[in-house]
Amino acid sequence: MHYGLIYCMGRFGLYLIDKVIFELTKNAPQLIVTKPKNINSKDYMYLGINSISETIFIIKILNLILHKSIICTSIYKPFVSFYLLFYLDDIGYILLHRILHKFYWLHFHHHKIKIPTRGYIDAGNENPIEMALALIYNYYIIILFNNLIDIPSISIIMHVFAKAIGSCINHLNKDVRINLGFGVVFDSAFHQKHHIHNNRSEEHTSELQSHSDL
């Protein structure tokens, strides 16, 4: 694999997702009238480190997908697997999020931005340890689940893309809510409330999602 190319394609893919989401939501009501908080050198450093972690995650996922059959004979299995991946990822992230709020020095950096406005930039702007923990959990949940039921490749791809889209939506200062059904909801107002009030109880990852997020 050409790791440099994968890195560049991953960054470009996230840029495109951000651009599309910003364009589609440009007429959505603004949640709070505010000027975006400037990001500093530490923010850029964390974003750079996290982009490498995300690339490693993408490479691992690509390795998994390339060793699986593209064809799935079942009509329902791809969709069932997609939602089950979200639920399993949520369970672990809820627990991780609670721990991060107990050891707040790890999670504090992400909450410095009280009003997220920049989509995936604000989503990925977190302590690299936090990012690594979330990605490692997400990856091994996919591996474990795949070993149990042989997840269709399309389900893994949809899961990764949906989390990237959700991370962008949840870090907009726009009133945007997308319901994918069966309890999977991306809600920017809900997530902004969490950033402002720093409320650990509002932790359903499908609605708060953020961090793992590719």
Side-chain angles (χ1 to χ4, degrees):
M1 284 190 177
H2 297 282
Y3 299 139
L5 179 60
I6 294 173
Y7 177 87
C8 292
M9 290 180 65
R11 296 301 97 196
F12 183 65
L14 288 172
Y15 169 78
L16 284 181
I17 288 173
D18 254 354
K19 291 292 287 185
V20 170
I21 295 297
F22 273 95
E23 182 64 25
L24 292 176
T25 61
K26 64 181 180 181
N27 294 322
Q30 191 172 15
L31 290 169
I32 295 178
V33 179
T34 184
K35 182 179 179 181
K37 180 180 174 63
N38 293 331
I39 55 179
N40 56 33
S41 57
K42 185 177 182 180
D43 297 318
Y44 285 115
M45 179 181 70
Y46 278 5
L47 285 165
I49 295 171
N50 290 338
S51 72
I52 295 172
S53 299
E54 290 167 341
T55 302
I56 293 171
F57 175 78
I58 291 172
I59 291 169
K60 293 286 189 181
I61 294 299
L62 286 175
N63 280 328
L64 175 62
I65 292 172
L66 292 175
H67 288 88
K68 294 173 64 67
S69 173
I70 300 297
I71 300 173
C72 180
T73 56
S74 171
I75 298 175
Y76 303 105
K77 190 174 181 180
F79 295 100
V80 172
S81 299
F82 170 76
Y83 284 103
L84 287 178
L85 276 176
F86 256 105
Y87 301 149
L88 290 171
D89 189 44
D90 270 3
I91 290 169
Y93 192 77
I94 288 171
L95 296 175
L96 174 61
H97 203 193
R98 288 182 181 276
I99 293 171
L100 289 171
H101 274 271
K102 289 183 180 297
F103 298 92
Y104 197 56
W105 62 272
L106 270 175
H107 194 48
F108 168 75
H109 185 83
H110 186 67
H111 274 276
K112 286 199 308 179
I113 306 295
K114 295 297 183 184
I115 311 295
T117 60
R118 285 176 285 255
Y120 205 82
I121 291 177
D122 285 343
N125 188 9
E126 62 185 9
N127 189 300
I129 297 175
E130 179 181 355
M131 171 69 79
L133 290 173
L135 290 176
I136 288 169
Y137 176 78
N138 192 196
Y139 174 71
Y140 280 104
I141 278 297
I142 293 173
I143 292 297
L144 176 62
F145 194 30
N146 182 63
N147 289 339
L148 290 174
I149 70 165
D150 188 23
I151 311 173
S153 296
I154 187 63
S155 301
I156 299 174
I157 294 170
M158 289 193 305
H159 173 71
V160 172
F161 268 95
K163 288 191 67 176
I165 292 169
S167 294
C168 175
I169 290 172
N170 284 344
H171 291 84
L172 294 177
N173 187 24
K174 296 277 191 171
D175 189 5
V176 180
R177 178 182 173 88
I178 296 180
N179 190 338
L180 298 182
F182 302 100
V184 179
V185 180
F186 302 127
D187 189 332
S188 56
F190 186 93
H191 192 73
Q192 186 185 92
K193 184 179 177 182
H194 172 73
H195 269 262
I196 293 172
H197 299 292
N198 196 13
N199 187 347
R200 192 172 67 232
S201 65
E202 297 171 352
E203 288 178 342
H204 188 273
T205 324
S206 296
E207 298 190 50
L208 297 186
Q209 189 80 326
S210 253
H211 305 77
S212 15
D213 341 351
L214 273 199

